[in-house]
Amino acid sequence: MSEAPHGNPIKTPAQLLAVVIAGFAVPIIIIVMLAYYVDSSTRTGAGTDSLAETAVAQRIAPLAQVEIRDANAPRVYRTGEEVYKAVCSACHAAGTAGAPKFTNTADWSPRIAQGFDTLWHTALTGKGAMPARGGTSPDDFSDYEIGRAVAYMANNAGANFADPPVPAAGASGAAAASAAAPAAAAGASDAGAAQAAAAMAAMASIPQAAAPAAGATQSADASQAGKALYTQICQACHAAGVLNAPKFGDKEAWAPRLKDPMDTVYNYALHGKGAMPPKGGSTASDADVKAAVDYMVSAAK
């Protein structure tokens, strides 16, 4: 039996033409589709990001920049949470270097028992591995903002501290910053906050150039110098007993302080204690400060 001959699929000239066209068209279509796919996909290669607009702008940015602010604009103080996140969380979030861990009541309980004033003072002056003000400067965060951060951390660990009193409008410099020193303990009354605000306003209004009363007049004796410095500086708090300052002429308030040697009392006045800044926030000489202490002590005997 003989086999049947194979049939030719292309039987007409039209079919041959169609096959030829398809042989050219199909590969071209496939190539175009692949090229479109590759071009539309995201490509990341070495050096690609270095030419981005943001990267170029960072490279050509000047080292020094000038930021213009309105000196008359009211200052916007940061919240305790903002200060905590910017500064304190570096150690307190994980309890690094012995820092009381955030929200850990066991770590914070003995510290809360010391009171807000003590915690605030510790934050401002430093303790152990913690630098003063958490390593910042007064230009970065004010004493008031540091106090807010202290209250925020303590309150998240079981305390019920009130924020420190808001600094008086226009207060600036060492006197105003120190006047906002720890004075708002847990549950401080409105009257206490008002007293603190009044003291800060009084301290801020003191003309610092006139602070060293006796320094300008060498012939003035110690008694006159002490009285003058008390009138200009010390009475802002001592006249009414603001911020727990021993009231002028109050023997009962001065009695526990006078149990210490006078050198110790002088040291408190010269270097500060509690809410009282060094030299009361003035630039008076050591001799004038001691004379002011003697003047107040003599009135309390």
Side-chain angles (χ1 to χ4, degrees), residues 9 24 28 42 80-81 97 117 120 122 148-149 151 157 198 207 210 219 225 229 249 259 269 290 293:
F24 282 99
I28 292 174
T42 302
E81 182 179 4
D117 287 358
W120 192 6
T122 299
R148 274 185 152 186
S219 61
L229 185 59
K259 291 180 181 179
K290 291 181 179 180
V293 172

Side-chain angles (χ1 to χ4, degrees), residues 164-190:
V166 180
S172 61
S178 300
S189 64
D190 292 340

Side-chain angles (χ1 to χ4, degrees), residues 16-28:
L16 176 61
L17 181 61
V19 170
V20 172
I21 294 174
F24 282 99
V26 171
I28 292 174

Side-chain angles (χ1 to χ4, degrees), residues 55-62:
V56 173
Q58 290 177 352
R59 288 199 299 272
I60 65 176

Side-chain angles (χ1 to χ4, degrees), residues 14-42:
Q15 291 178 340
L16 176 61
L17 181 61
V19 170
V20 172
I21 294 174
F24 282 99
V26 171
I28 292 174
I29 293 173
I30 294 175
I31 292 172
V32 170
M33 293 178 65
L34 288 174
Y36 177 79
Y37 171 77
V38 171
D39 186 63
S40 63
S41 62
T42 302

